Each structure stands twice: as structure tokens, then as C-alpha cells.
Amino acid sequence: MNTLEARKKFTTAGAAVVVVAVAVVGIFFNACQGGQYWGARQAFLSYHAAVNRLDARAARSHMTDELARRFDLWLCRTAVLSDDMKMNILSAGLPRNPRFGCVTVRRDEALLTMTGETVGGQKVTGSVTMRRTNGDWRVNSQKWDVAGNVINL
């Protein structure tokens, strides 16, 4: 085997190792971070859609047990209002089309920051803490600032 053939084999083997290494790193990143980021984001968007449909049962299914308890207390405190009115109030504090800012994932918790405008056109900024429970991302807490009025749930 001459020097040129040896160099081609070495270069081909080296390229194959690099391709395999890049693929492994990509798979690892997607499994550890990328998939978590999209999972948390998608779970919030499912919750957001349920709230905008005024579907309390569906919204509750996207909450952690802790948030569901706080949500139920809020529903009881506002007992004089109809369920649709309560969901309208909740929906009014969320951005109509949320624009995600920073999404930070650490193990089974994610922090999502968002901006947007309410249905009424007011600027809204907020943060949502997601927690992974039994493999599913769920909304654990949320804080929204709508034109200086802060809403915590």
C-alpha cells in the first residue's frame, strides 16, 4: 500500500469517527435538553389552548396537583361568578399569542418566560414554572404582569 492509499483510508476512517461522534452528541443533546425544552413548551401551549377555549377541566389536566389545588381555591373564592366568567378572567391575563423568551430546563423543572398582548391589547409579560410529573410536563405556577397588575396563580 502506498502513502496516498494509506492517507485516504486514514482520512475516511477519521471522517467516519467524526460523523458518529456528532450524531451521538446530537442524540444526547436532544434527549437531555432539546426534547425537554420542546416538551415543556408544548405542554404550556396545550394548557394555554384549554384556557382560551374556557375549558376548566382540560386546563386543570395540564396543572400539577399543587397548582390544581390553588386553582380550585380560586374557583371557590369566586363562586358567585359562572365558570365561563372565571375562565374568561384567567384567559384575559394570558398573552393571546405568547412569544417565548428564555426557556431554562433543569432536570424536572422548566422556567418559561413570555411576552405578548392580551385579547384587549394590553402588554403582558410573565413567567411559568413547569414541573415534570410522571413523565409529563405540567404547569406548576405562573406570574403575569398585565399593564402593571400582577397576577399570580
Side-chain angles (χ1 to χ4, degrees):
M1 174 175 4
N2 64 32
T3 307
L4 183 58
E5 289 174 349
R7 191 177 289 163
K8 282 183 183 179
K9 283 186 178 183
F10 179 75
T11 303
T12 303
V17 168
V18 169
V19 168
V20 169
V22 168
V24 167
V25 168
I27 290 167
F28 176 78
F29 178 76
N30 189 39
C32 293
Q33 292 296 327
Q36 291 181 10
Y37 163 82
W38 286 106
R41 186 178 183 275
Q42 284 306 115
F44 172 77
L45 290 173
S46 294
Y47 164 80
H48 184 268
V51 170
N52 285 333
R53 285 191 317 270
L54 308 180
D55 188 343
R57 180 175 288 166
R60 197 174 188 288
S61 74
H62 295 287
M63 299 176 186
T64 60
D65 291 342
E66 180 182 334
L67 180 58
R69 279 191 289 279
R70 290 194 310 266
F71 182 69
D72 290 344
L73 285 173
W74 177 74
L75 291 176
C76 288
R77 280 188 301 227
T78 56
V80 296
L81 302 174
S82 71
D83 287 347
D84 282 351
M85 181 61 80
K86 293 173 194 176
M87 291 306 293
N88 270 315
I89 292 168
L90 184 57
S91 177
L94 294 177
R96 180 179 29 180
N97 295 309
R99 288 183 300 279
F100 288 88
C102 183
V103 177
T104 306
V105 177
R106 288 202 177 92
R107 294 187 189 128
D108 289 337
E109 270 201 12
L111 176 65
L112 290 66
T113 59
M114 287 164 258
T115 60
E117 291 183 357
T118 64
V119 174
Q122 294 179 305
K123 285 190 161 213
V124 59
T125 59
S127 60
V128 175
T129 303
M130 306 289 290
R131 186 168 289 149
R132 193 167 31 205
T133 307
N134 298 324
D136 295 325
W137 285 105
R138 299 190 184 280
V139 177
N140 188 56
S141 67
Q142 46 190 325
K143 181 178 182 178
W144 300 102
D145 183 337
V146 182
N149 297 313
V150 177
I151 302 165
N152 283 304
L153 187 60

